[in-house]
């Protein structure tokens, strides 16, 4: 099971840290991806950390978001800074074999957490 948390309402320019906690398996055996989907828009890849801890980012978040692992807590984090209303979306983490091409069709998904950036 993957469980996301940390979403909420934040003002533009603010920060949030999302968590993706695993139970029943070890996260560091997998690539962990973050996706987001805003109403009326397609789901988009945001960031990924591979099993070898290589990270990738979408161009729209590069320099503002940081993905990291805490293996002791079996959790992956997405630290988000300088948030804008365009970052408003449901954020979902997923476990997969690879980060390449934002992973495969065989992802294991969490339930998501909502991020709303608004004044």
């Amino acid at each position: 099971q993957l469980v996301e948390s940390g979403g909420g309402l934040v003002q533009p320019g603010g920060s949030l840290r999302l968590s993706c906690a695993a139970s029943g398996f070890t996260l560091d055996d997998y690539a962990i991806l973050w996706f987001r989907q805003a109403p009326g828009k397609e789901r988009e890849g945001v960031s990924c950390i591979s099993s070898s801890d290589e990270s990738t980012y979408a161009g729209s978040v590069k320099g503002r978001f940081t993905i990291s692992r805490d293996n002791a807590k079996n959790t992956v984090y997405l630290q988000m800074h300088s948030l804008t209303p365009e970052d408003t979306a449901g954020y979902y983490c997923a476990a997969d074999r690879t980060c390449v091409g934002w992973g495969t069709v065989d992802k294991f998904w969490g339930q998501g957490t909502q991020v709303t950036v608004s004044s």
Side-chain angles (χ1 to χ4, degrees):
Q1 185 181 11
L2 287 173
V3 178
E4 299 96 330
S5 61
L9 174 64
V10 63
Q11 292 187 341
S15 299
L16 282 175
R17 188 179 76 162
L18 304 184
S19 299
C20 174
S23 60
F25 66 100
T26 303
L27 270 183
D28 64 0
D29 290 338
Y30 294 86
I32 304 300
L33 303 96
W34 283 97
F35 290 83
R36 66 185 181 186
Q37 187 165 21
K41 294 187 177 181
E42 292 189 357
R43 184 173 60 201
E44 64 172 342
V46 174
S47 184
C48 183
I49 186 165
S50 72
S51 56
S52 58
D53 284 348
E54 294 179 354
S55 57
T56 57
Y57 298 93
S60 59
V61 306
K62 202 166 188 177
R64 300 189 298 123
F65 291 11
T66 303
I67 193 169
S68 62
R69 290 183 188 271
D70 185 335
N71 292 333
K73 295 183 179 179
N74 211 23
T75 299
V76 168
Y77 301 101
L78 186 68
Q79 179 69 55
M80 307 186 296
H81 295 297
S82 302
L83 287 163
T84 74
E86 288 68 38
D87 296 313
T88 295
Y91 282 72
Y92 301 85
C93 68
D96 205 328
R97 297 192 302 272
T98 180
C99 290
V100 175
W102 295 113
T104 71
V105 297
D106 296 324
K107 292 182 179 60
F108 182 69
W109 293 92
Q111 86 291 347
T113 186
Q114 178 66 33
V115 172
T116 302
V117 185
S118 175
S119 55

